[in-house]
Amino acid sequence: MSDEQPVRLHCFAHSLGGESLFEHWPASAGPGVEVVPVSLPGGSRRRSEPRVHTHEALLADVLPRFTDPHPGPYVLYGHGLGAMVALSVTRALHEAGLPGPALLAVGAHSPPPVYAGLPDVRGATDAELLHVLGGEGAVPPSSDEGILLRAMLPVLRAELELARALDEAARRPSCAGPLTTALLVVASQDNPLAPPTVADSWRRWTMGPARTRIVPGRHFFARGSRELPRLLGRACRVTRRLAQQPAPVG
């Protein structure tokens, strides 16, 4: 694969991660894979820009990078809220009749509908949001994840508004019909917010082949993980091999 164009693995982080979540991934993803962290407005690399809060604003910012011609297949991975971003981009490309990812990979997030039961971000108290975001008590306040949730609540408030907008948009019928994109659902056994059982619900979002993989950790299992980028690196190389297979005759 050294003489071939690498498979690009475009990565969308969860609310608390930012692009730094993927800094060590190139070494772990392996040969033939180019890890491309996607920076959103207001993120660590674009802090001077206002965050986007709507489905339309998100696509206006992100979609152009996927509409320019690019040789070879590519893969999208979204972690946490990033899973909804990756799904939204894939659907938008599908509806525009443009080439989409060869594989949509999602982790640490339930499929839509997710946010309909959450309190209104603008009127909810900190305690109300923390209770729901912490899995209604499933994430202990004194745990590492509980402490991180409290520390990052202002960011979560802003991104929860976007998350609800993406959730609502995903539930609107698509003019292009269902996706046919291959799907990989990555879940962790000890994640109370998105347990492995959510994989079954994700499958209804595409008519393409769907697989599930379980990795160690809780909700923030992408942070510091070596197994996750290795898993996605292997998936990228499989995607490359499948794309090189000759089309059936007749």
Side-chain angles (χ1 to χ4, degrees):
M1 290 185 63
S2 59
D3 296 330
E4 298 174 332
Q5 187 77 16
V7 177
R8 287 187 175 177
L9 172 60
H10 298 272
C11 300
F12 300 92
H14 57 67
S15 305
L16 310 183
E19 300 83 7
S20 63
L21 192 70
F22 310 112
E23 285 180 348
H24 70 274
W25 281 32
S28 298
V33 178
E34 179 185 359
V35 178
V36 185
V38 180
S39 181
L40 299 181
S44 59
R45 296 180 184 173
R46 301 173 65 183
R47 288 176 180 169
S48 63
E49 302 176 47
R51 293 180 180 273
V52 294
H53 298 278
T54 67
H55 176 253
E56 293 76 14
L58 172 81
L59 292 181
D61 183 86
V62 175
L63 208 57
R65 71 166 54 222
F66 299 104
T67 55
D68 292 335
H70 177 263
Y74 65 91
V75 173
L76 300 186
Y77 174 69
H79 193 86
L81 172 61
M84 289 298 299
V85 176
L87 174 64
S88 298
V89 169
T90 303
R91 281 170 55 92
L93 291 169
H94 178 63
E95 291 171 356
L98 296 170
L103 174 68
L104 170 63
V106 294
H109 203 279
S110 298
V114 181
Y115 297 97
L118 289 182
D120 190 301
V121 178
R122 294 162 294 185
T125 66
D126 287 357
E128 288 172 334
L129 281 181
L130 286 170
H131 182 63
V132 178
L133 291 170
E136 298 184 346
V139 175
S142 59
S143 68
D144 290 343
E145 285 149 332
I147 294 171
L148 190 56
L149 282 174
R150 292 201 305 276
M152 297 301 296
L153 191 57
V155 175
L156 285 167
R157 278 186 178 275
E159 296 205 350
L160 186 56
E161 187 174 348
L162 172 61
R164 292 186 65 149
L166 299 185
D167 186 84
E168 291 171 359
R171 287 184 277 126
R172 292 196 289 265
S174 172
C175 60
L179 292 173
T180 57
T181 310
L183 175 69
L184 173 63
V185 182
V186 185
S188 57
Q189 193 66 52
D190 299 320
N191 183 2
L193 302 182
T197 53
V198 304
D200 292 336
S201 299
W202 268 111
R203 292 171 186 268
R204 74 180 184 87
W205 287 92
T206 181
M207 296 180 65
R211 299 288 184 270
T212 305
R213 294 293 182 268
I214 310 299
V215 298
R218 292 173 62 86
H219 185 63
F220 299 113
F221 60 80
R223 184 173 296 280
S225 171
R226 293 294 185 269
E227 182 169 344
L228 180 57
R230 284 198 293 264
L231 168 65
L232 293 170
R234 290 194 297 270
C236 287
R237 287 185 286 276
V238 170
T239 296
R240 165 70 71 187
R241 289 197 297 270
L242 292 176
Q244 292 175 331
Q245 291 181 359
V249 178

